[in-house]
Amino acid sequence: MLEILQTSFDKYQFGAIKGRSTAHALISLLHEWMETSDAGGSVRTMFVDFRKAFDHVDHNLLISKLLSYDIPHCIIRWDHSYLSHGRQRVRVKGELSAWTRLIGGMPQGSWLKAHG
């Protein structure tokens, strides 16, 4: 799936791409700023911290986005099943809560969370 999507990534996409990191993002940012400043332009920057962004992913929106790419439907159906049948519970001091169905977010430790 990543091979299919990678061609549509913005050139400033650094997360979820092998060989790219936060350091690469910072170097790219500084390069753009210096280039603009050297050309006599001005630089304005706004940083937004999307706290726990992967915890708030809307599964339906994700699936509709995947449908707009050339991803085989069998993979999209698998992703939908994986995300829509997720359940979780919490253990506190040895006590387990009841199971609850996930309606958003990426399952902890999943490839989708680690790379998506």
Side-chain angles (χ1 to χ4, degrees), residues 16-59:
I17 297 178
K18 188 174 184 170
R20 290 184 140 196
S21 67
T22 305
H24 292 104
L26 292 171
I27 291 167
S28 175
L29 202 81
L30 288 170
H31 176 75
E32 292 289 325
W33 290 347
M34 296 301 170
E35 203 172 59
T36 300
S37 182
D38 289 347
S42 63
V43 176
R44 292 174 182 83
T45 304
M46 180 171 81
F47 292 98
V48 178
D49 180 9
F50 293 104
R51 191 173 133 240
K52 299 201 176 254
F54 282 107
D55 293 342
H56 300 285
V57 172
D58 180 309
H59 295 167

Side-chain angles (χ1 to χ4, degrees), residues 7-26:
T7 59
S8 63
F9 288 163
D10 185 276
K11 71 177 185 174
Y12 298 111
Q13 169 73 31
F14 293 92
I17 297 178
K18 188 174 184 170
R20 290 184 140 196
S21 67
T22 305
H24 292 104
L26 292 171

